[in-house]
Amino acid sequence: MDENLEILFDEQAIEQRVAELAAQISRDYAGKDLVLVCILKGAALFTADLSRHLTIPVTLDFVHVSSYGNATVSSRTITVKKDIDTDIRGKNVLLVDGIIDTGGTITFLIEQCRERGPASLKVVTLLDKHSRRTADFPIDYRGFEVPDIFVVGYGMDCGEKYRNLPYIAKLDPLST
Ligand code: PRP
């Protein structure tokens, strides 16, 4: 393993927590259809695994945004690089993120989705870096809370590296 990495959540811990989240989501949406919206790229692996555990009818869509400027919500510009294809009016939508940090990305996407008139709109994130939040909103489903450290793996990157790791690790800041 890369010597700059320290495992926070191994494959087994992730698998178990994802299964628990999926069971809870399946119960909450029993008898309903769900549109899962994967927030690229960070949520790619999480969405794939979560969707496989869901026992309700699900469709998948993908959104990719870019953000510029510094890390506070008020000074960041977010633009859509790839929008969803689904007409979500009247549908149950679950936004799937890998990590919520300041909350800027998810706040922007919640606003975008709301304007399109879904029947319901909720958020699931695998990781919640709550200490960094500058925008407040409810997170409906959360995998793990993480402190303010740089995390990589299981979809999350540093300069596009490490996304394919099956575990989530802390990256030594001195190595970046
Ligand atoms: C990361 C992550 C979240 C977002 C969270 O995406 O995947 O979507 O940042 O940060 P925020 O709460 O401060 O907005 P990033 O923009 O790094 O793109 P990526 O998912 O393609 O790596």
Side-chain angles (χ1 to χ4, degrees):
M1 194 175 88
D2 190 319
E3 62 183 15
N4 300 314
L5 299 179
E6 178 194 323
I7 294 184
L8 295 173
F9 306 106
D10 64 16
E11 234 178 310
Q12 200 187 351
I14 295 171
E15 155 76 23
Q16 188 184 328
R17 191 69 190 115
V18 171
E20 286 169 3
L21 287 171
Q24 194 185 345
I25 293 165
S26 298
R27 276 196 302 275
D28 292 353
Y29 288 91
K32 296 177 180 165
D33 292 354
L34 184 61
V35 182
L36 280 186
V37 176
C38 170
I39 304 172
L40 294 170
K41 298 177 186 173
L45 276 67
F46 177 40
T47 306
D49 287 342
L50 183 75
S51 64
R52 268 182 280 207
H53 283 287
L54 293 172
T55 55
I56 48 170
V58 158
T59 60
L60 280 178
D61 211 332
F62 301 86
V63 64
H64 196 190
V65 299
S66 305
S67 56
Y68 307 94
N70 76 31
T72 65
V73 173
S74 56
S75 59
R76 240 169 39 169
T77 305
I78 300 178
T79 55
V80 177
K81 282 164 85 171
K82 188 238 169 276
D83 204 347
I84 53 172
D85 305 315
T86 312
D87 177 4
I88 58 170
R89 183 164 298 280
K91 300 201 172 137
N92 298 303
V93 176
L94 183 61
L95 288 168
V96 186
D97 211 345
I99 182 165
I100 296 181
D101 189 344
T102 64
T105 304
I106 200 76
T107 305
F108 173 84
L109 289 171
I110 288 171
E111 199 48 47
Q112 285 251 318
C113 286
R114 269 206 194 120
E115 286 170 7
R116 298 173 185 184
S120 69
L121 181 60
K122 287 191 180 184
V123 172
V124 57
T125 186
L126 183 62
L127 302 182
D128 179 10
K129 207 189 265 187
H130 193 257
S131 59
R132 291 256 306 155
R133 198 78 85 251
T134 55
D136 211 19
F137 53 87
I139 297 178
D140 302 282
Y141 307 97
R142 147 190 313 108
F144 305 102
E145 173 124 12
V146 285
D148 187 10
I149 52 175
F150 201 95
V151 292
V152 295
Y154 197 66
M156 285 155 287
D157 74 314
C158 179
E160 294 301 322
K161 209 175 146 190
Y162 305 117
R163 288 196 200 273
N164 63 315
L165 297 178
Y167 51 83
I168 294 167
K170 172 185 175 183
L171 181 64
D172 181 349
L174 297 176
S175 69
T176 58

